Amino acid sequence: MNFDFSEEERSFRREVEEFAKAELPPDWDEKALYWPAGYGTLPGLEEEFKEFHDELLLKLGKRGWLSIGWPSEYGGMNSMVKHAILDDVMSYHRAPPGDVSTAIGGPTIAKVASDEMKREWLPRIARGELRFWLGYSEPNAGSDLASIKTRAVDDGDDFVVNGQKIWSSGAHIADYAWLLAKTDPGAPKYRGETIMLVDNRSPGITIRPLENICGIHSFNEVFFDDVRVPKKNVVGNVNQGFYSVMLALQYERLFVGVGAFRRILDELVAYVKETKSNGRLLADDALVRNKLASMAIEIEVVSGFYWRTAWLMDQGTIPDLESSMLKLFGTELSRTLAGVAMEILGPAGQLKRGSKWAPLRGLVNLGYMDSVSGPIGAGTSEVQRGIIATRGLGLPRK
């Protein structure tokens, strides 16, 4: 069994490292704080970073890096491992490697959309010209997407959409909704839903900001009031949207920010080597060393899940079981790491970003709160355990 990268992949990694160091602003580390596997501290979703993120996407697109994992006939490189390398390196530097449009929408369109839609949308996504937000969750339907109420009614050349989405990350800085709507209310569960792309500028759309637990505006609630959506914007087949979402989730769950786990561990190790408590370095405390050693082991484990999932995708396998393991382990590790960091920093860990006394620029304070979101978003931990139990272990659903 060989876990090593090829020389081409190692060379690509060096190229991405050089890109990140050259393109990120000198004060990026001070301004951008990101806790891995959370949804509340993603710099790419913050209004103040929008202009920078838009420009970065265009630069990534110019290099062909936004479509690395796509099939070659659509301008890609057929390499999810390279895509994972890009995400790994960029997340280490707390920089966005792409967007919902490139990481989730593009590869799903390449798999299930019509040829007309592929020709119209994939080149623009690959160039970094578009940004999507995920229109899945509703006030009474979080992980249970079969229970959504947003309706899309057939009306000639259009669908007419009415309903509400919530916890809509980045809707305020994106261009299009990747919307899941009910198109056949009488259909059996998991059928009768359709994915469609909805222009944020369409009449009838209202976007209201929601401040998350970290005090950051990353979420929104979005209302659709008789919004007309051209039928040519439907992704895949009408009434088969749930299955397209399941495919899209395979891509979404691959991007948990593995590099950011390593970055935080590196910073904690540096912190305990230079910080004293009761007259001695924290690094001299056996309990501190043991806790950090445990985190190093668990980060290696989540890295194993990460690279295996990407590798399986390159083999043509749909890794629904493996991606669930990765998502479950990564988001639970996010919480554990936040707890360990808070224990090591003690009361100072509660100091917020902006305080001159806050260790690690207030990152641990943010991470401790943001880590709550990881096990909830993109399918809760309970959902992931259900998938592992039924599809992986062959256990009954009930």
Side-chain angles (χ1 to χ4, degrees), residues 165-297:
K165 297 293 179 179
I166 199 167
W167 315 124
S168 308
S169 300
H172 58 299
I173 46 87
D175 304 299
Y176 288 85
W178 176 266
L179 185 76
L180 182 67
K182 186 79 78 176
T183 41
D184 183 358
K189 197 173 184 180
Y190 305 121
R191 299 179 186 175
E193 296 174 345
T194 302
I195 288 282
M196 56 189 72
L197 297 173
V198 185
D199 192 330
N200 267 12
R201 299 166 297 181
S202 303
I205 292 183
T206 303
I207 301 175
R208 294 179 181 170
L210 291 176
E211 192 173 275
N212 67 35
I213 191 173
C214 302
I216 297 171
H217 172 202
S218 63
F219 296 137
N220 304 272
E221 56 181 348
V222 184
F223 298 87
F224 296 84
D225 185 10
D226 288 334
V227 176
R228 302 193 75 85
V229 182
K231 285 182 176 175
K232 67 184 183 67
N233 283 15
V234 167
V235 181
N237 296 322
V238 173
N239 294 331
Q240 297 293 313
F242 184 83
Y243 302 100
S244 296
V245 170
M246 293 301 103
L247 173 63
L249 282 171
Q250 311 309 315
Y251 298 109
E252 180 178 357
R253 288 169 184 161
L254 180 62
F255 299 100
V256 295
V258 166
F261 281 109
R262 291 187 288 104
R263 178 64 177 272
I264 290 171
L265 180 65
D266 288 349
E267 292 190 345
L268 286 173
V269 169
Y271 178 80
V272 302
K273 286 181 176 178
E274 63 187 22
T275 305
K276 288 185 176 180
S277 176
N278 297 322
R280 66 172 186 164
L281 286 172
L282 287 172
D284 291 331
D285 187 320
L287 183 59
V288 170
R289 292 200 302 271
N290 288 344
K291 286 181 178 295
L292 290 177
S294 295
M295 290 301 93
I297 293 168

Side-chain angles (χ1 to χ4, degrees), residues 27-349:
D27 60 347
W28 181 252
D29 277 347
E30 297 298 320
K31 296 166 65 175
L33 299 179
Y34 165 52
W35 196 262
Y39 293 91
T41 57
L42 292 164
L45 300 183
E46 295 185 44
E47 186 77 45
E48 69 171 295
F49 300 125
K50 174 176 167 45
E51 185 176 350
F52 164 74
H53 192 183
D54 288 346
E55 292 176 358
L56 187 70
L57 280 178
L58 293 173
K59 292 175 181 177
L60 288 165
K62 194 172 183 179
R63 289 172 174 260
W65 290 356
L66 296 178
S67 53
I68 297 173
W70 301 6
S72 55
E73 59 263 41
Y74 306 120
M77 301 182 189
N78 273 322
S79 177
M80 289 305 294
V81 167
K82 280 190 176 179
H83 201 155
I85 290 172
L86 176 71
D87 184 75
D88 182 43
V89 173
M90 296 295 276
S91 67
Y92 185 87
H93 293 283
R94 301 188 175 111
D99 185 70
V100 170
S101 60
T102 63
I104 300 171
T108 305
I109 288 173
K111 289 275 188 183
V112 305
S114 66
D115 290 340
E116 179 185 3
M117 171 166 268
K118 291 172 184 174
R119 285 193 298 270
E120 178 181 353
W121 292 86
L122 289 181
R124 299 164 68 197
I125 294 172
R127 289 195 296 266
E129 296 173 355
L130 303 174
R131 298 180 68 175
F132 294 173
W133 61 274
L134 290 180
Y136 294 161
S137 297
E138 298 186 1
N140 295 309
S143 293
D144 183 14
L145 296 180
S147 299
I148 63 167
K149 302 297 183 186
T150 294
R151 289 286 313 275
V153 178
D154 191 326
D155 187 29
D157 292 334
D158 300 332
F159 280 105
V160 178
V161 177
N162 283 280
Q164 179 189 359
K165 297 293 179 179
I166 199 167
W167 315 124
S168 308
S169 300
H172 58 299
I173 46 87
D175 304 299
Y176 288 85
W178 176 266
L179 185 76
L180 182 67
K182 186 79 78 176
T183 41
D184 183 358
K189 197 173 184 180
Y190 305 121
R191 299 179 186 175
E193 296 174 345
T194 302
I195 288 282
M196 56 189 72
L197 297 173
V198 185
D199 192 330
N200 267 12
R201 299 166 297 181
S202 303
I205 292 183
T206 303
I207 301 175
R208 294 179 181 170
L210 291 176
E211 192 173 275
N212 67 35
I213 191 173
C214 302
I216 297 171
H217 172 202
S218 63
F219 296 137
N220 304 272
E221 56 181 348
V222 184
F223 298 87
F224 296 84
D225 185 10
D226 288 334
V227 176
R228 302 193 75 85
V229 182
K231 285 182 176 175
K232 67 184 183 67
N233 283 15
V234 167
V235 181
N237 296 322
V238 173
N239 294 331
Q240 297 293 313
F242 184 83
Y243 302 100
S244 296
V245 170
M246 293 301 103
L247 173 63
L249 282 171
Q250 311 309 315
Y251 298 109
E252 180 178 357
R253 288 169 184 161
L254 180 62
F255 299 100
V256 295
V258 166
F261 281 109
R262 291 187 288 104
R263 178 64 177 272
I264 290 171
L265 180 65
D266 288 349
E267 292 190 345
L268 286 173
V269 169
Y271 178 80
V272 302
K273 286 181 176 178
E274 63 187 22
T275 305
K276 288 185 176 180
S277 176
N278 297 322
R280 66 172 186 164
L281 286 172
L282 287 172
D284 291 331
D285 187 320
L287 183 59
V288 170
R289 292 200 302 271
N290 288 344
K291 286 181 178 295
L292 290 177
S294 295
M295 290 301 93
I297 293 168
E298 294 201 32
I299 290 171
E300 282 298 308
V301 173
V302 78
S303 296
F305 282 125
Y306 179 70
W307 296 115
R308 174 172 167 74
T309 302
W311 179 82
L312 285 171
M313 286 180 164
D314 280 348
Q315 308 312 304
T317 301
I318 297 177
D320 56 347
L321 179 62
E322 290 78 8
S323 66
S324 287
M325 291 177 174
L326 169 63
K327 201 276 179 181
L328 174 63
F329 196 90
T331 53
E332 296 291 336
L333 176 57
S334 174
R335 296 206 66 184
T336 305
L337 181 61
V340 166
M342 189 63 81
E343 289 175 10
I344 291 175
L345 268 59

Side-chain angles (χ1 to χ4, degrees), residues 351-364:
L351 295 175
K352 295 182 178 179
R353 175 166 58 175
S355 168
K356 67 178 182 180
W357 304 109
L360 305 182
R361 308 172 304 286
L363 175 62
V364 174

